[in-house]
Amino acid sequence: MKKLYIIALMIILLTPLGLLASGSAWGEWSLDEVKEMIGYVPEGMSKFAELVKGILPDYSIPGFDANFFQQAIGYVFSAIIGIAAILLIFAILGKLMGRAQKKNE
């Protein structure tokens, strides 16, 4: 587990590098960008675009993105939230699967 935590920490600390990149991240295109790339917006994307929203849009803390340093903090915070959510989901699944396995024994 120690190696996993070290890797997660490295990923968290490297997330602000995304601020230096130009353009959009792969797969994070707006409807306009999709239309420009492929010539149309798929029906499902346009249907669910307003329904599905990110918890922290653009990896930032609302009202806390005035300069590069604040944006970097937003990226790091987003990474922490994302990794914590993944760990929580896997912990819950592990407990549920453990209970199911004990019932079957």
Side-chain angles (χ1 to χ4, degrees):
M1 286 299 280
K2 187 176 180 181
K3 286 183 182 181
L4 176 67
Y5 292 135
I6 291 170
I7 291 170
L9 181 62
M10 288 173 48
I11 291 170
I12 289 169
L13 294 175
L14 291 174
T15 55
L17 289 177
L19 292 168
L20 303 175
S22 62
S24 296
W26 194 93
E28 296 184 9
W29 308 297
S30 68
L31 296 179
D32 292 334
E33 289 173 306
V34 170
K35 186 173 184 177
E36 185 179 310
M37 287 188 288
I38 63 173
Y40 69 99
V41 177
E43 184 179 334
M45 285 184 79
S46 59
K47 182 178 179 181
F48 292 107
E50 291 301 315
L51 180 65
V52 178
K53 296 289 181 189
I55 297 169
L56 295 169
D58 298 327
Y59 306 103
S60 64
I61 302 166
F64 199 71
D65 54 1
N67 59 44
F68 182 84
F69 180 71
Q70 289 180 342
Q71 290 175 342
I73 290 172
Y75 267 55
V76 169
F77 184 70
S78 293
I80 291 169
I81 296 294
I83 289 175
I86 290 168
L87 290 174
L88 180 64
I89 290 168
F90 277 97
I92 291 169
L93 288 174
K95 292 221 182 260
L96 291 174
M97 290 179 2
R99 287 183 192 160
Q101 188 176 17
K102 286 179 183 178
K103 284 182 182 180
N104 292 334
E105 289 178 354

